[in-house]
Amino acid sequence: MDDKMEAQWETQVREMAVRFTYPPTPDLRKQILVQRSRPRLGVPRTRLAWVTAVILLLLAGSFLVPQVRAAVIRFFQAGAISIFVPEPTALPSTPVPSDDSLELNQYVSEYGIPVTPAEAQTLMRHPVQLPSELRMPDRFLLDDSEKPTMLVSLWLDETEPTQVALSLYQIEVANFAAKGSTFVEQTRVNGHEAFWVAGPHVIRLEDGRFQSWLFVEGNVLIWWQGDVTYRLEGAGTLETAVTIAESLQTVHK
Amino acid sequence: MGPVGVLYVKDIGDDCIIETDQDLLRLVQGQDETAWAHLVSRHQEAVFRLAYLILGDAAEAEEAAQDAFVQAYLSLDRFDAERPFRPWMMQIVRNVARNRQRSMRRYAAAVRRWWQSHAIPLEADLPHDDAQLLWQAVRRLPAAAQEVIYLRYFLGMSEVETAVSLNIAPGTVKSRAHRALQRLRTIIQSDYPELVTPE
């Protein structure tokens, strides 16, 4: 397309776009003043209600655990991540089916900028840690905020390279994230408390500036070291996940 | 670049006081809640509209816009009141809306897999005028391309304002818009030929 045609196309897009009809803008002033008065720390009731609704919705339709009743919400703190689960919590006798693989381009479009380990090391506050049990990740993604707080390391499926087989999140968010899940098992990584979360669930990450909601399928191991929380997604079984987690070591430039 | 603010005229009896965004921000940082309400009122349309363009649902967009203003208020102590306010708000609502979109999509996919139910439709059932068809075509672009088109063409923001909103350099806005328009044209020529003006 030559410059004149490009300019004409741009003009045409602009002329169509400005004619777009939006719904009426709601008056946000009153709602914002009410929301703003709630305390920042702790769990806002509206969010807990939302997470609870997700849990209950999942449970209501789940044919895998017909005996589960969401009577009481229990609370676990796993580093920067808060986990809310209904009572009772128990892993099902048969493994929870999960589709852990996602398209690589979904990760790239959702989680930020591809970087090298050296770039990630420069931008993250804490040293980048990777499992010595595995080969080097195929991709590194850094969240695209001014001060990144999350690094995602991706291992691609060797038979289907557009699919992500395993992902490791290094999260340096100071405040908590909330997640609802149907199944949580307490476990240990290097002798320290950790959690194994099975089935689809929702995470909320909050760093005081932004609130991010992520939806996760599949089974996840969560553990933490000091200010850094780790999530390992896609390892399949708890034993495999713990082996990988316990092999974490600092990447040297 | 100096502050870019929209002038707001407040009548007090026979006096007229023109308050820029920067004036209002300074008042808000001095704990003046009325000033915050004025700021919200001034920018809520643009914030809501960007959320709507991303999410495609008015109720979700309203919640995202609310969340964005709450987050902005909670971050005001770290915001330089001399900077333009609107691009910063657009940056916040864009992040909020994208995160909500991720959760909505994945949750819908999980519901579909777990219960073998029909997919939850995420796009509104829209009338098919040119602008709506254009929007449908834009929504098929990658997120970064969508955002530059929404900000530059749907919402009429300048290159500089768009750059701040997306946290990228103005030169990158230009190149990203150029590529986005090319990809958009390909989609439209293939799937929405009625939008193409005969040459």
Side-chain angles (χ1 to χ4, degrees):
Chain A
M1 209 189 315
D2 61 27
D3 288 349
K4 186 177 170 193
M5 284 174 61
E6 279 185 21
Q8 282 174 346
W9 174 235
E10 186 181 20
T11 301
Q12 189 185 351
V13 169
R14 181 176 285 115
E15 286 173 354
M16 283 192 284
V18 297
R19 293 198 297 267
F20 185 79
T21 308
Y22 298 88
T25 301
D27 187 352
L28 301 173
R29 289 171 295 175
K30 195 188 265 188
Q31 295 110 310
I32 285 161
L33 288 172
V34 169
Q35 269 212 18
R36 190 166 48 68
S37 66
R38 293 201 176 107
R40 261 175 91 182
L41 297 177
V43 182
R45 243 179 255 154
T46 49
R47 292 300 178 196
L48 176 55
W50 196 91
V51 171
T52 307
V54 170
I55 297 168
L56 293 175
L57 186 59
L58 285 171
L59 289 174
S62 172
F63 50 76
L64 292 174
V65 280
Q67 292 80 23
V68 173
R69 294 289 180 267
V72 173
I73 301 296
R74 288 174 64 202
F75 170 83
F76 301 91
Q77 190 69 41
I81 297 177
S82 306
I83 307 174
F84 298 90
V85 290
E87 286 276 21
T89 61
L91 283 173
S93 54
T94 53
V96 174
S98 73
D99 182 352
D100 292 336
S101 65
L102 275 178
E103 294 274 339
L104 171 61
N105 58 7
Q106 284 175 280
Y107 274 90
V108 173
S109 68
E110 290 183 8
Y111 287 116
I113 331 167
V115 294
T116 64
E119 286 167 337
Q121 192 66 77
T122 306
L123 293 166
M124 295 285 277
R125 277 192 298 131
H126 293 88
V128 173
Q129 302 247 318
L130 294 174
S132 60
E133 276 287 315
L134 304 175
R135 70 177 195 276
M136 276 294 277
D138 299 300
R139 296 285 189 282
F140 295 87
L141 302 175
L142 204 59
D143 77 80
D144 59 359
S145 55
E146 283 179 29
K147 291 183 184 173
T149 54
M150 186 166 79
L151 174 70
V152 186
S153 304
L154 302 176
W155 286 261
L156 302 181
D157 189 316
E158 286 172 338
T159 55
E160 286 191 56
T162 58
Q163 299 290 328
V164 173
L166 189 74
S167 54
L168 173 66
Y169 295 68
Q170 181 170 324
I171 302 167
E172 297 179 356
V173 166
N175 294 333
F176 63 85
K179 65 171 28 177
S181 173
T182 52
F183 308 113
V184 176
E185 180 177 337
Q186 286 174 281
T187 183
R188 298 230 163 238
V189 170
N190 289 325
H192 297 290
E193 193 177 22
F195 291 97
W196 175 244
V197 184
H201 52 271
V202 175
I203 302 174
R204 188 190 75 209
L205 300 170
E206 183 176 330
D207 71 353
R209 291 177 296 124
F210 296 122
Q211 214 172 57
S212 310
W213 288 91
L214 307 176
F215 186 79
V216 180
E217 300 173 68
N219 307 323
V220 179
L221 179 67
I222 304 168
W223 72 104
W224 58 100
Q225 295 173 7
D227 289 342
V228 186
T229 304
Y230 297 92
R231 290 181 61 249
L232 182 67
E233 200 177 320
T237 66
L238 171 57
E239 291 68 31
T240 303
V242 169
T243 301
I244 294 170
E246 290 187 335
S247 75
L248 226 60
Q249 61 187 27
T250 301
V251 174
H252 296 287
K253 288 185 193 171
Chain B
M1 185 189 75
V4 176
V6 175
L7 297 183
Y8 181 76
V9 179
K10 183 168 81 172
D11 289 332
I12 300 182
D14 292 333
D15 297 322
C16 267
I17 299 175
I18 298 175
E19 292 174 330
T20 63
D21 283 355
Q22 283 64 44
D23 291 335
L24 290 173
L25 280 165
R26 280 189 280 275
L27 289 170
V28 175
Q29 288 171 337
Q31 309 298 317
D32 184 334
E33 289 200 359
T34 307
W36 179 245
H38 285 320
L39 263 179
V40 170
S41 177
R42 184 181 291 181
H43 296 284
Q44 62 185 3
E45 182 177 86
V47 169
F48 170 75
R49 287 184 170 188
L50 180 59
Y52 180 75
L53 285 167
I54 292 173
L55 292 166
D57 178 88
E60 289 288 337
E62 180 176 346
E63 288 203 16
Q66 277 179 36
D67 282 354
F69 278 112
V70 171
Q71 288 182 22
Y73 184 84
L74 295 174
S75 307
L76 277 178
D77 55 344
R78 281 164 282 169
F79 180 72
D80 178 359
E82 300 309 312
R83 285 172 53 200
F85 180 71
R86 180 170 292 190
W88 183 62
M89 273 310 312
M90 299 304 249
Q91 193 180 101
I92 295 174
V93 75
R94 166 219 170 208
N95 286 332
V96 169
R98 282 291 174 213
N99 290 330
R100 289 183 80 92
Q101 188 182 51
R102 286 197 277 270
S103 294
M104 281 160 57
R105 277 194 185 134
R106 287 181 159 201
Y107 180 65
V111 165
R112 196 164 56 241
R113 273 193 286 273
W114 276 59
W115 303 327
Q116 299 173 1
S117 57
H118 294 297
I120 297 171
L122 292 175
E123 289 190 5
D125 185 14
L126 302 165
H128 294 289
D129 62 23
D130 284 2
Q132 295 286 348
L133 290 174
L134 175 71
W135 183 43
Q136 288 177 31
V138 171
R139 283 162 73 85
R140 293 169 55 179
L141 295 169
Q146 288 184 36
E147 286 160 6
V148 75
I149 289 184
Y150 290 152
L151 291 166
R152 288 286 287 134
Y153 304 111
F154 281 76
L155 297 171
M157 294 181 74
S158 68
E159 258 179 29
V160 170
E161 289 174 323
T162 301
V164 174
S165 301
L166 297 179
N167 202 20
I168 57 179
T172 307
V173 169
K174 204 174 200 132
S175 56
R176 202 179 275 188
H178 173 73
R179 282 195 303 274
L181 287 172
Q182 285 186 325
R183 292 177 80 159
L184 180 63
R185 188 177 174 90
T186 303
I187 291 171
I188 284 176
Q189 281 176 328
S190 162
D191 298 335
Y192 302 91
E194 61 269 47
L195 293 181
V196 179
T197 304
E199 292 158 18

